[in-house]
Amino acid sequence: MTSAVAAPPATSGKRPVLLLRRINDRLAAELRSRFRVLNFYESSAPLLAFLAAAAAGPDPPLAAVVVAGGAIQVNAAFLDAVPSLGCVVTTGAGVDHIDLAECARRGVAVAGAGTVFSTDVADHAVGLLVDVLRRISASDRYVRRGLWAARGDYPLGSKLSGKHVGIIGLGSIGSLIAKRLQAFGCTISYNSRRPKDSVSYNYFPDVTDLAAASDVLIVACALNDETRHIVDSSVLEALGKDGVVVNIARGGIVDEAELIRALKEGRIAGAGLDVFEKEPDVPAELLSMDNVVLTAHEAVFTTESNWDLADLMIANLEAFFSGGPLLTPVLPK
């Protein structure tokens, strides 16, 4: 039995916006200065009941700001609950949590984060790779436990320069990763839906072939039906016992069970993971592996990118309400 939700009172002047993500105080203040904010996280109601109550009010919301990563799915049921909606602004680079075709069918515009996060995610990917290869986090734990004096030097890591790096997805983020790793003297290859005329990197239409030609495999593509578990047992086998996987995209792109099995059996050398299949739950097996570096889906987050994202979210909302084009529209493929 769901709890009843009171419809929000009518408010003249400010345009109502659904807020379906947690935000910092600065962004909350800026949103409230411009819009009448209907904050899901200030309600005890289930999501669909909250949406229905907002839609039933005398001043139903026309726009929504939603969190990325799958915590809230903007699908037919969501849109049925709040039929007044005309615009969805998501705060992530990925849009696997939004049914773009359904939004397009209903005339609901969608705005994404554009390239706000690209630089930070590319930096984070390189940081994870350096950490795994040079065993920085593991060595830090070794020193902190007093084992350097007791057992001697920590085992050697592996150099980054000269590595053959395969990137799955050469969009905004993948391209920046490639440029950074070129500066380290790495050889870059990539897989994507089609070859990119703007680059000279080796193109592989098949991910298994890409892995076989690589020392490192970096996942930087979108999650969709075609890419789910695209990094599977055959890809990991092709990567080989000295290979490293880095994933800064979405957890579902990598078959997590197969990755754990390959790590445990020594069929690949290590992994740097910022994303997981069932966040925030991380498989216990990964926690005990010194050849795995884990971060909490934080590649996108820096102080600077948070401010840039806040400005972009507000600009997209203002554009929608003024009848202008969205700054960072997302269209169905």
Side-chain angles (χ1 to χ4, degrees):
M1 181 177 177
T2 59
S3 58
V5 187
T11 302
S12 60
K14 292 182 180 178
R15 297 150 297 186
V17 171
L18 292 170
L19 180 60
L20 304 169
R21 68 154 289 165
R22 300 185 189 280
I23 57 174
N24 58 50
D25 291 342
R26 173 185 178 269
L27 179 53
E30 293 203 14
L31 281 174
R32 288 193 170 97
S33 71
R34 293 169 169 83
F35 310 105
R36 181 167 65 85
V37 177
L38 309 175
N39 190 342
F40 171 60
Y41 293 99
E42 293 176 353
S43 166
S44 60
L47 176 62
L48 293 182
F50 170 81
L51 296 176
D59 192 15
L62 299 178
V65 176
V66 302
V67 66
I72 290 176
Q73 296 288 318
V74 180
N75 51 24
F78 180 106
L79 296 169
D80 284 343
V82 57
S84 58
L85 209 62
C87 179
V88 173
V89 177
T90 179
T91 58
V95 291
D96 48 289
H97 57 301
I98 298 177
D99 188 333
L100 294 177
E102 186 65 18
C103 286
R105 188 181 73 80
R106 298 175 186 237
V108 177
V110 178
T115 59
V116 164
F117 297 127
S118 298
T119 297
D120 293 320
V121 177
D123 290 348
H124 198 87
V126 174
L128 284 173
L129 179 56
V130 171
D131 196 334
V132 174
L133 290 174
R134 297 302 304 271
R135 303 182 177 183
I136 294 171
S137 294
S139 180
D140 175 81
R141 293 190 293 271
Y142 187 81
V143 172
R144 290 175 187 275
R145 292 198 298 263
L147 299 179
W148 188 13
R151 298 182 186 176
D153 292 343
Y154 193 74
L156 297 176
S158 179
K159 69 191 300 180
L160 173 56
S161 58
K163 288 286 189 290
H164 289 260
V165 177
I167 301 174
I168 304 175
L170 203 69
S172 172
I173 293 170
S175 297
L176 290 174
I177 293 171
K179 289 178 181 178
R180 282 154 173 72
L181 291 176
Q182 273 191 303
F184 281 90
C186 295
T187 299
I188 307 298
S189 301
Y190 73 101
N191 164 268
S192 63
R193 286 189 297 271
R194 60 188 66 88
K196 309 281 187 179
D197 295 335
S198 58
V199 300
S200 59
Y201 312 134
N202 292 327
Y203 172 72
F204 287 82
D206 182 79
V207 173
T208 304
D209 293 340
L210 175 68
S214 302
D215 304 307
V216 174
L217 197 62
I218 298 180
V219 181
C221 61
L223 174 62
N224 52 45
D225 291 341
E226 288 73 36
T227 62
R228 185 175 295 279
H229 283 190
I230 196 172
V231 179
D232 57 12
S233 59
S234 63
V235 171
L236 296 170
E237 195 67 33
L239 184 61
K241 65 181 181 63
D242 296 321
V244 170
V245 173
V246 172
N247 189 2
I248 44 73
R250 286 289 187 268
I253 299 169
V254 176
D255 187 329
E256 201 166 73
E258 289 296 337
L259 175 65
I260 291 169
R261 191 171 295 115
L263 288 163
K264 289 172 70 174
E265 295 173 0
R267 290 187 283 115
I268 65 170
L273 306 173
D274 184 55
V275 290
F276 307 89
E277 287 209 63
K278 297 179 180 178
E279 296 176 1
D281 297 327
V282 178
E285 297 97 325
L286 293 174
L287 302 179
S288 60
M289 295 180 180
D290 268 348
N291 58 340
V292 177
V293 179
L294 309 170
T295 54
H297 202 148
E298 63 193 48
V300 300
F301 295 122
T302 63
T303 301
E304 294 86 352
S305 68
N306 266 355
W307 299 152
D308 292 342
L309 176 64
D311 292 340
L312 180 62
M313 287 166 52
I314 290 171
N316 272 311
L317 289 170
E318 295 282 12
F320 167 71
F321 282 115
S322 66
L326 299 177
L327 278 70
T328 51
V330 180
L331 303 174
K333 302 296 182 185

